[in-house]
């Protein structure tokens, strides 16, 4: 079938490998091979900086500059390149690169149209518009193994349930949710175009598919030789300044419908990107059609994650509500607040010299608040979240499998998409090596084992250095906590203005809050610096493919982010108050600063404070940064063009002023959500409201991401992806680790186990079994046994003995200050609880994972049906061709055998 009214034999494009790099080569018939460069093939095309398109016969005023078509009104603009004339010493070299590059693009079959700088808003910028004709699209659809519509899907799902009517409020119109009919598809074959639905050629290749094909050509097109090596690729031309930008166009303005043939951007904005649509489902098929599968799969995952968070948020909210309702029923809090119990207990100073003795009831309100998070519901919620995270991951696999089928990604392998090498890698290749699997020569970088090991050593040493820097910052914050506590204690004791809030704002709470804020600021600064270092390190490694590049960068960034964000929470949860010693023999950090103690009510409330500040602060800052920064830059760029009429401010200029959604755009989005996932799973036992905060953030996150992608960024080049990639393995790792961390939080950070041990083994009052628990958990110390460096400077209350949080024998006992048997009972109970909880949760997790199949049976049936139908159609096509061949010519008997064999294959296919 001929393409777009052109001779089919005029231009044929294929990929060849010469001189160690992939090139685009044109093969022409003898008649067309000698055609002049300004002949029929290159009519109306610009090939130099000075010679502009010979399209003077076209009336440019007949069409709006807001159009996405060439001036002839029929050829769609698939890509735009922009540049300005340089006056520096490299001006001629850049002009020659552009001239050679555009000439090779035209030889590859692409059609170009250049806008003179006089037509631009600033009078300085040239715009090269690129169109891919049908012949180019069909050729590269086969090269890239794209699946295209073959036959209407005859497996319809007409089942409805009651929920579909109940949830109608959250649904979008059918034409928005399903912009195209569902078809069976097959890999495109140029020699079998009749099999595909090519009746409407303009709609056969979607704009996202078109820009993906054009970008494939741009990234591999030559522009000359420098220093004895062939140079190629638009990325290099952007890096060396030959071009300013390269981008596909949005199909219309987002705020109004135009008379263009498609206006999907406007539909996405009105039904998806508006904040007033926060309660609506996402039009995933339309997102995939407009932006490509890679962006579509991200929003599908984010939406599914947000839906699953709803259930965790509801359960967490009720657990918090239980703690709030039962706050006044806590016997421990009552004893601490009771003037006759907590008011009579004198506690030992919490720091050396400057801190004073204090009464236990001064921590009344913090102990009550602590009960909201440290109660029996904490245990239930920790177990629930261990099961929830398994259900989330398993159901996502099923959702992903359904998307793989619906988006024609069943047989798609990431490696197939990435089989083309990164241009940065290809440019460094100096030799070829035979692949043991394919037996084909492949481009490789020549390097010795020593060079490779040295490069990897320095790269990972850089990563370890930055991780060590994080640890050093955490130690600095710990020192800050130790140093500033004494200052807060002194200020609050001597400042009468703070007396009214002294019960609520204790020195411990003030220290915890200020340290958490300082830690958050440090995290943001280190993130900003390390992101650039990680990219630089990964570039130095020169990964072979895009997939390999992303995976390496992901592991470096996540390892850093894991330590950066979670280290402070790990410190509060598992180290603070665990290595304090006792008043006669305190432990010191670096032999100078006394280790921190937990509040008598436990360290859980401090972990909650730390988690809330870091998690909420990160989410608020992230949303502000994502929305405000691109909007501000775009506003500054458009100030000059604000009063210009439409006929002066063209579509390619308007899109050119938008921000660029780089190759790491989705990487940063995934990283943000995975870090959040860690917060709500690793430490959720300390803060049941964490899933609720995450849910509220994600509802906003979806709209912020969609808004900025639709209104503030250039249209990204479409890319395929059949899954969320390496992030799936990271989520699985976090899910397993979360079971361990939550078991340790319940056992060692909360007071759950000590209270249970006291309830069942040491309670002496059957009527109120928990009465006396506070006295049991505090040991007695003789003030005269203080070392000189620990003795408080003032003792206004003439204290003889004080209490401290531990299980040790009192002074005068034969085992004075040694740990009691109750301490060992509690430790044994903690270890037993960890083992039992981990085994129970892991057993349930693995059972649930085994019980839920990764691929729904319905999807399996559809996949088998599509494969069978595709095979049948292809065989019938070959059979029909053979029939025509036999009818038109007298073929030898061998052809009859071939006919019979083909007919047998069709029968076998039907039987299968």
């Amino acid at each position: 079938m001929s393409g777009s009214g052109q001779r089919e034999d005029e231009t044929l494009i294929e990929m060849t490998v010469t001189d160690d790099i992939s090139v685009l080569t044109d093969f022409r018939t003898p008649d067309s091979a000698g055609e002049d460069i300004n002949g029929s093939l290159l009519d109306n095309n610009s090939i130099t900086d000075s010679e502009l398109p010979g399209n003077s016969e076209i009336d440019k005023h007949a069409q709006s500059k807001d159009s996405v078509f060439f001036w002839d009104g029929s050829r769609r603009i698939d890509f735009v390149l922009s540049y300005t004339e340089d006056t520096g010493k490299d001006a001629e070299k850049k002009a020659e690169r552009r001239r050679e590059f555009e000439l090779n693009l035209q030889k590859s079959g692409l059609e170009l149209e250049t806008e003179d700088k006089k037509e631009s808003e600033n009078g300085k910028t040239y715009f090269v518009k690129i169109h891919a004709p049908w012949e180019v699209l069909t050729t590269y659809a086969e090269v890239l193994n794209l699946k295209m519509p073959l036959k209407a899907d005859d497996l319809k799902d007409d089942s409805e349930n009651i929920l579909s009517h109940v949830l109608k409020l959250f649904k979008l119109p059918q034409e928005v949710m399903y912009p195209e009919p569902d078809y069976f598809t097959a890999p495109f074959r140029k020699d079998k175009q009749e099999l595909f639905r090519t009746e409407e050629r303009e709609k056969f290749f979607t704009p996202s598919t078109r820009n993906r094909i054009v970008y494939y050509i741009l990234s591999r097109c030559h522009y000359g030789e420098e220093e004895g090596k062939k140079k190629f690729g638009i990325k290099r031309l952007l890096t060396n300044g030959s071009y300013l930008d390269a981008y596909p166009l949005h199909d219309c303005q987002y705020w109004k419908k135009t008379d263009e043939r498609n206006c999907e951007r406007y539909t996405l904005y009105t039904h998806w990107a508006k904040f007033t649509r926060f309660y609506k489902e996402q039009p995933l098929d339309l997102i995939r059609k407009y932006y490509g599968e890679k962006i579509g799969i991200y929003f599908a995952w984010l939406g599914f994650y947000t839906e699953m968070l709803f259930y965790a948020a509801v359960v967490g909210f009720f657990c918090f509500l239980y703690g709030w309702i039962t706050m006044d029923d806590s016997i421990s809090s009552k004893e601490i607040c009771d003037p006759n119990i907590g008011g009579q207990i004198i506690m030992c100073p919490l720091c050396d010299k400057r801190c004073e003795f204090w009464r236990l009831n001064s921590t009344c309100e913090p102990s009550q608040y602590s009960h909201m998070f440290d109660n029996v519901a904490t245990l239930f919620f920790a177990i629930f979240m261990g099961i929830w995270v398994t259900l989330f991951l398993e159901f996502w696999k099923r959702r992903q499998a359904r998307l793989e089928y619906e988006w024609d990604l069943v047989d798609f392998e990431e490696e197939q998409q990435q089989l083309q090498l990164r241009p940065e890698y290809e440019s460094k290749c100096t030799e070829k090596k035979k692949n043991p699997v394919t037996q084909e020569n492949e481009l490789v970088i020549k390097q010795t084992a020593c060079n490779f090991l040295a490069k990897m050593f320095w790269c990972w040493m850089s990563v370890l250095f930055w991780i060590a820097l994080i640890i050093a910052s955490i130690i600095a914050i710990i020192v800050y906590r130790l140093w500033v506590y004494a200052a807060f204690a002194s200020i609050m004791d001597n400042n009468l203005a703070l007396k009214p809030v002294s019960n609520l704002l204790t020195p411990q709470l003030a220290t915890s809050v200020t340290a958490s804020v300082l830690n958050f600021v440090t995290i943001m600064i280190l993130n900003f610096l390390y992101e650039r270092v990680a990219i630089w390190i990964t570039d130095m490694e020169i990964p072979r493919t895009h997939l390999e590049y992303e995976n390496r960068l992901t592991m470096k960034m996540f390892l850093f982010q894991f330590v950066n964000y979670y280290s402070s929470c790990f410190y509060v949860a598992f180290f603070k108050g665990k290595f304090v010693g006792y008043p006669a023999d305190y432990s010191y950090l670096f032999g100078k600063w006394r280790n921190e103690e937990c509040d008598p009510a436990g360290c859980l409330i401090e972990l909650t404070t730390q988690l809330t500040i870091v998690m909420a602060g990160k989410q608020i800052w992230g949303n502000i940064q994502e929305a405000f920064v691109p909007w501000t830059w775009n506003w500054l760029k458009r100030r000059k063009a604000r009063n210009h009429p439409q006929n002066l401010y063209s579509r390619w200029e308007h899109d050119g002023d938008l921000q660029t959604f780089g190759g790491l755009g989705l990487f940063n989005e995934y990283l943000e959500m995975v870090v959040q996932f860690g917060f709500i799973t690793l430490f959720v036992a300390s803060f049941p409201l964490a899933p609720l905060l995450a849910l509220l953030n994600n509802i906003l996150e979806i709209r912020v991401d969609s808004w900025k992608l639709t209104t503030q960024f250039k249209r990204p080049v479409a890319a395929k992806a059949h899954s969320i990639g390496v992030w799936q393995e990271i989520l699985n790792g976090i899910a397993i680790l979360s079971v361990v961390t939550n078991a340790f939080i319940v056992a060692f950070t909360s007071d759950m186990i000590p209270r249970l041990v006291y309830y069942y083994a040491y309670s002496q009052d059957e009527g109120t079994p928990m009465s006396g628990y506070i006295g049991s958990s505090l040991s007695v110390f003789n003030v005269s046994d203080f070392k000189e460096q620990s003795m408080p400077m003032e003792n206004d209350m003439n204290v003889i003995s004080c209490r401290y949080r531990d299980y040790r024998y009192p002074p005068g006992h034969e085992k004075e200050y040694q740990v009691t048997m109750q301490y060992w009972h509690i430790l044994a109970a903690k270890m037993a609880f960890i083992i039992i909880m981990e085994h129970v949760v892991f057993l349930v997790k693995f059972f649930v994972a085994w019980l839920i199949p990764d691929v729904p049976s319905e999807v399996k049936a559809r996949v088998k049906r599509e494969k069978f139908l595709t095979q049948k159609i292809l065989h019938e096509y070959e059979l029909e061709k053979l029939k025509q061949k036999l009818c038109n010519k007298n073929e030898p008997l061998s052809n009859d055998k071939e006919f019979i064999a083909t007919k047998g294959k069709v029968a076998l296919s039907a039987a299968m």
Side-chain angles (χ1 to χ4, degrees):
M1 186 175 287
S2 61
S4 299
Q6 297 180 8
R7 299 194 312 273
E8 188 163 349
D9 61 344
E10 184 178 71
T11 306
L12 298 176
I13 307 97
E14 70 177 37
M15 297 297 298
T16 64
V17 179
T18 61
D19 296 331
D20 301 323
I21 49 179
S22 301
V23 297
L24 300 167
T25 309
D26 72 316
F27 293 86
R28 303 183 186 174
T29 61
D31 295 336
S32 62
E35 238 178 297
D36 184 74
I37 198 68
N38 292 319
S40 61
L41 178 65
L42 303 179
D43 280 349
N44 303 332
N45 292 340
S46 169
I47 60 172
T48 69
D49 291 357
S50 57
E51 298 176 6
L52 295 176
N55 55 1
S56 56
E57 69 279 3
I58 297 176
D59 183 10
K60 293 187 176 182
H61 298 288
Q63 174 170 299
S64 169
K65 290 185 74 173
D66 194 41
S67 173
V68 294
F69 292 89
F70 276 19
W71 289 116
D72 58 16
S74 60
R75 291 176 293 174
R76 172 178 285 275
I77 302 172
D78 296 313
F79 230 88
V80 174
L81 308 178
S82 65
Y83 66 90
T84 57
E85 289 183 333
D86 201 339
T87 57
K89 60 180 180 180
D90 294 333
E92 184 59 34
K93 184 182 290 186
K94 291 179 181 179
E96 180 59 33
R97 289 171 183 161
R98 289 193 295 267
R99 197 159 33 241
E100 185 72 20
F101 185 70
E102 293 174 19
L103 177 61
N104 288 330
L105 287 179
Q106 292 169 330
K107 287 182 178 179
S108 301
L110 297 179
E111 297 174 3
L112 276 59
E113 184 178 79
T114 301
E115 288 289 322
D116 187 70
K117 63 181 180 180
K118 297 176 183 178
E119 301 288 334
S120 66
E121 182 272 327
N122 60 11
K124 301 177 182 178
T125 308
Y126 292 89
F127 291 92
V128 181
K129 298 174 287 185
I130 301 174
H131 168 76
W134 175 262
E135 190 70 24
V136 174
L137 294 173
T138 53
T139 299
Y140 281 94
E142 185 171 353
V143 169
L144 296 174
N145 202 35
L146 299 182
K147 284 189 172 183
M148 305 305 293
L150 193 70
K151 180 181 175 64
D153 190 344
D154 57 5
L155 294 177
K156 301 297 181 183
D157 184 13
D158 298 325
S159 60
E160 290 189 7
N161 51 43
I162 300 176
L163 283 178
S164 62
H165 297 287
V166 176
L167 301 177
K168 192 173 182 180
L169 175 67
F170 306 100
K171 300 290 185 180
L172 289 172
Q174 286 292 309
E175 62 272 14
V176 177
M177 284 299 297
Y178 307 105
E180 292 181 330
D182 196 9
Y183 294 106
F184 288 126
T185 59
F188 186 80
R189 293 285 300 276
K190 189 176 179 181
D191 58 345
K192 294 181 174 63
Q193 292 186 35
E194 298 87 348
L195 294 175
F196 298 90
R197 305 181 71 88
T198 57
E199 298 86 4
E200 296 184 85
R201 289 190 172 184
E202 290 184 1
K203 296 182 180 179
F204 186 70
F205 291 103
T206 64
S208 61
T209 303
R210 297 174 69 97
N211 73 56
R212 181 184 170 210
I213 290 174
V214 172
Y215 185 74
Y216 183 90
I217 299 173
L218 289 174
S219 62
R220 278 152 183 81
C221 185
H222 283 277
Y223 61 84
E225 291 190 13
E226 296 178 10
E227 299 176 357
K229 293 183 180 179
K230 286 191 174 181
K231 301 295 182 179
F232 62 96
I234 188 62
K235 282 188 177 181
R236 283 182 166 272
L237 290 170
L238 292 171
T239 302
N240 60 36
S242 299
Y243 287 101
L244 297 178
D245 212 342
Y247 52 92
L249 290 181
H250 285 289
D251 61 359
C252 65
Q253 303 289 6
Y254 69 86
W255 64 84
K256 64 176 180 179
K257 261 193 172 182
T258 61
D259 56 356
E260 299 292 355
R261 296 161 203 183
N262 291 301
C263 205
E264 293 170 350
R265 186 190 187 193
Y266 173 78
T267 305
L268 285 171
Y269 176 71
T270 54
H271 292 281
W272 178 50
K274 284 188 175 181
F275 292 96
T276 53
R277 298 280 180 166
F278 72 92
Y279 60 93
K280 293 286 188 180
E281 62 183 337
Q282 297 186 87
L284 294 177
D285 286 351
L286 187 58
I287 297 170
R288 171 246 181 171
K289 181 184 176 185
Y290 192 76
Y291 291 113
E293 288 80 1
K294 194 169 186 178
I295 290 178
I297 204 79
Y298 163 73
F299 281 103
W301 176 82
L302 180 57
F304 183 80
Y305 170 46
T306 304
E307 291 174 18
M308 291 296 292
L309 272 177
F310 173 78
Y311 305 105
V314 170
V315 176
F317 176 75
F318 279 109
C319 288
F320 171 79
L321 197 62
Y322 169 83
W324 182 62
I325 293 173
T326 60
M327 184 170 62
D328 294 333
D329 299 332
S330 172
I331 301 298
S332 301
S333 298
K334 286 181 178 180
E335 289 186 349
I336 291 175
C337 297
D338 191 340
N340 297 321
I341 301 176
Q344 300 302 315
I345 296 177
I346 307 298
M347 301 296 294
C348 297
L350 294 175
C351 65
D352 293 340
K353 300 265 184 202
R354 297 174 63 182
C355 292
E356 299 178 353
F357 296 99
W358 53 285
R359 295 187 184 276
L360 181 61
N361 65 349
S362 65
T363 61
C364 173
E365 293 189 21
S367 68
Q368 291 177 328
Y369 296 137
S370 178
H371 176 76
M372 289 194 295
F373 306 104
D374 191 0
N375 54 67
V376 69
T378 300
L379 174 60
F380 166 77
F381 193 59
I383 295 174
F384 169 81
M385 287 302 293
I387 299 171
W388 173 88
V389 73
T390 303
L391 291 173
F392 163 63
L393 294 174
E394 292 302 317
F395 282 126
W396 165 246
K397 290 179 185 177
R398 292 172 61 84
R399 179 75 174 116
Q400 188 170 261
R402 188 178 295 276
L403 288 175
E404 284 183 24
Y405 167 74
E406 292 175 354
W407 292 356
D408 302 320
L409 301 169
V410 173
D411 297 324
F412 173 80
E413 292 292 337
E414 204 86 31
E415 290 77 9
Q416 289 180 3
Q417 182 205 1
Q418 307 296 343
L419 57 87
Q420 63 269 26
L421 305 179
R422 291 176 66 238
E424 295 84 354
Y425 178 88
E426 287 182 312
S427 64
K428 300 289 184 182
C429 292
T430 54
E431 61 181 36
K432 294 180 181 179
K433 184 178 180 181
K434 181 176 286 188
N435 187 311
V437 178
T438 63
Q439 293 297 306
E440 295 179 357
N441 290 328
E442 293 183 348
L443 299 166
V444 294
I445 297 177
K446 185 178 182 180
Q447 60 179 349
T448 63
C450 292
N451 289 339
F452 174 77
L453 292 176
K455 185 187 298 181
M456 296 304 295
F457 172 78
W458 284 113
C459 288
W460 282 102
M461 281 299 294
S462 300
V463 175
L464 293 177
F465 166 77
W466 279 88
I467 291 177
L469 189 62
I470 297 172
I471 296 173
S473 69
I474 295 298
I475 293 174
I477 291 173
I478 293 172
V479 171
Y480 164 83
R481 297 171 70 110
L482 299 175
W483 176 79
V484 82
Y485 176 81
F488 277 126
S490 177
I491 291 171
M492 291 182 179
D493 287 340
N494 299 324
N495 195 326
L496 296 177
L498 296 176
K499 286 294 182 183
V501 295
S502 60
N503 290 335
L504 179 62
L505 187 63
T506 62
Q508 293 99 319
L509 183 60
T511 302
S512 180
V513 170
T514 56
S516 298
V517 172
L518 182 62
N519 180 55
F520 172 72
V521 173
T522 305
I523 286 172
M524 292 296 104
I525 294 173
L526 290 176
N527 273 349
F528 177 79
L529 297 175
Y530 181 75
E531 180 178 345
R532 285 144 183 80
V533 174
I535 294 172
W536 174 71
I537 293 172
T538 309
D539 288 340
M540 280 182 56
E541 294 175 358
I542 319 176
R544 188 169 182 269
T545 65
H546 294 283
L547 179 65
E548 188 178 345
Y549 181 91
E550 287 186 6
N551 288 347
R552 291 190 185 185
L553 182 61
T554 298
M555 294 310 298
K556 291 183 183 69
M557 283 297 296
F558 180 74
L559 181 62
F560 175 84
Q561 298 270 23
F562 185 91
V563 179
N564 197 19
Y565 278 107
Y566 305 142
S567 55
S568 59
C569 293
F570 272 101
Y571 163 73
V572 175
F574 306 124
F575 295 96
K576 183 180 178 180
K578 307 300 186 295
F579 309 99
V580 177
Y582 64 100
D585 187 21
Y586 282 124
S587 299
Y588 289 83
L589 180 65
F590 304 130
K592 184 175 182 181
W593 291 285
R594 193 175 114 188
N595 288 345
E596 283 186 284
E597 294 184 42
C598 287
D599 189 271
C603 271
L604 197 68
I605 189 65
E606 291 194 45
L607 178 58
T608 303
T609 304
Q610 178 78 24
L611 183 65
T612 305
I613 291 175
V614 176
M615 178 182 173
K618 180 187 181 301
Q619 293 180 163
I620 293 171
W621 173 252
N623 283 321
I624 292 174
Q625 190 177 29
E626 287 182 16
F628 183 73
V629 172
W631 179 86
T632 303
W633 281 113
N634 289 337
W635 179 80
L636 292 173
K637 280 186 176 182
R638 292 177 186 172
R639 287 185 66 186
K640 294 181 180 179
R642 187 178 292 175
N643 298 320
H644 285 226
Q646 185 182 18
N647 63 340
L648 290 180
Y649 195 47
S650 63
R651 166 58 56 80
W652 38 92
E653 289 179 277
H654 185 280
D655 282 15
D657 285 340
L658 297 176
Q659 298 299 296
T660 300
F661 192 79
L664 297 179
L666 279 185
F667 171 83
N668 292 323
E669 301 296 341
Y670 274 120
L671 184 61
E672 179 185 1
M673 288 295 103
V674 170
V675 169
Q676 181 204 82
F677 181 80
F679 278 124
I680 69 163
T681 54
L682 295 175
F683 309 102
V684 74
S686 68
F687 189 36
L689 291 180
L692 180 60
L693 290 181
L695 174 64
L696 297 175
N697 173 79
N698 287 8
I699 291 173
L700 182 63
E701 179 76 22
I702 291 174
R703 303 305 157 181
V704 169
D705 287 348
S706 59
W707 173 80
K708 71 178 184 182
L709 199 61
T710 308
T711 67
Q712 303 301 313
F713 283 91
K714 297 181 181 73
R715 186 174 186 169
V717 177
K720 280 187 175 288
H722 73 294
S723 68
I724 61 175
V726 71
W727 297 109
Q728 182 81 34
E729 301 305 319
I730 292 175
L731 292 174
N732 288 331
I734 292 176
I736 294 172
L737 181 61
S738 68
V739 177
V740 179
T741 56
N742 283 299
F744 272 86
I745 287 172
V746 173
F748 285 98
T749 309
S750 78
D751 262 10
M752 176 76 63
I753 303 303
R755 286 200 297 262
L756 289 175
V757 170
Y758 180 82
Y759 182 90
Y760 289 106
Y762 291 91
S763 176
Q764 298 177 355
D765 189 341
E766 294 183 1
T768 53
M770 289 306 296
S771 62
Y773 168 72
I774 291 297
S776 172
S777 65
L778 300 175
S779 300
V780 181
F781 181 75
N782 195 332
V783 174
S784 60
D785 293 332
F786 269 123
K787 292 182 179 179
E788 184 179 352
Q789 64 177 2
S790 302
M791 179 68 74
M793 292 185 292
E794 297 181 4
N795 188 0
D796 297 335
M797 293 187 289
N798 297 319
V799 177
I800 299 174
S801 63
C802 61
R803 308 291 289 273
Y804 61 100
R805 183 182 170 86
D806 208 342
Y807 297 93
R808 293 180 181 271
Y809 289 109
H813 194 278
E814 61 180 3
K815 297 182 179 179
E816 183 180 64
Y817 300 139
Q818 294 183 25
V819 293
T820 63
M821 187 55 66
Q822 186 176 355
Y823 169 85
W824 296 111
H825 286 166
I826 292 173
L827 181 61
K830 288 179 177 180
M831 300 307 297
F833 169 81
I834 291 172
I835 294 171
I836 293 172
M837 179 180 170
E838 286 182 358
H839 281 71
V840 168
V841 175
F842 278 132
L843 184 64
V844 174
K845 279 170 63 70
F846 293 138
F847 175 73
V848 169
W850 170 80
L851 190 64
I852 302 175
D854 291 346
V855 182
S857 57
E858 175 200 354
V859 173
K860 290 181 180 179
R862 286 176 176 268
V863 171
K864 290 179 181 178
R865 169 68 177 161
E866 181 169 316
K867 287 183 176 180
F868 162 76
L869 191 64
T870 302
Q871 188 178 24
K872 181 179 178 181
I873 291 174
L874 289 174
H875 282 312
E876 289 177 350
Y877 175 80
E878 294 293 341
L879 187 63
E880 187 64 28
K881 285 289 185 183
L882 281 172
K883 283 182 180 179
Q884 293 177 4
K885 190 175 181 181
L886 290 174
C887 290
N888 295 333
K889 296 180 181 179
N890 274 328
E891 297 292 334
L893 188 61
S894 60
N895 280 342
D896 294 333
K897 293 180 180 178
E898 184 180 356
F899 172 82
I900 295 171
T902 305
K903 189 174 181 180
K905 289 179 182 178
V906 175
L908 178 62
S909 174
M912 292 173 62

